[in-house]
Amino acid sequence: MAHALAARWGRPFTTPEAMVGCMASVALPARIAVLGEAAAPALKDWLLRERRIEAQVLAIRGQVHVRLAAQVYNDESDYERLAQAVDEWPV
């Protein structure tokens, strides 16, 4: 799923496969990246308040990422819902 979201957002996914387990961080779209590290808490709060999506949004080396955590209760529709919400975030 991390590869699919990175491709959707036009961002590289450079994490070595050996380091990908049940969690992976994906860089957010360029329109969010240009906002800088301050976008991380703002997007995280908006996702929770407006879309009822709990996701870890964080800055890694100056780039804003979302951390995907695959759990037994998640399915592809959950990640699609997250991607759609990120695409619709009114920055």
Side-chain angles (χ1 to χ4, degrees):
M1 189 48 63
H3 292 282
L5 289 180
R8 176 182 183 144
W9 293 330
R11 306 292 282 173
F13 184 74
T14 57
T15 304
E17 289 300 318
M19 293 180 66
V20 177
C22 65
M23 287 197 287
S25 294
V26 178
L28 290 168
R31 72 181 188 85
I32 295 172
V34 298
L35 300 174
E37 293 183 10
L43 176 57
K44 179 181 171 145
D45 291 346
W46 182 83
L47 287 169
L48 184 58
R49 283 193 316 265
E50 301 298 325
R51 298 300 173 94
R52 301 185 50 86
I53 296 172
E54 191 166 346
Q56 181 65 29
V57 182
L58 60 153
I60 302 173
R61 291 185 293 276
Q63 294 290 317
V64 184
H65 290 69
V66 64
R67 181 178 296 145
L68 305 178
Q71 298 297 326
V72 68
Y73 49 80
N74 294 119
D75 61 36
E76 251 184 77
S77 68
D78 294 312
Y79 303 107
E80 175 57 34
R81 192 168 147 250
L82 169 65
Q84 187 69 35
V86 167
D87 291 344
E88 294 173 357
W89 186 40
V91 217

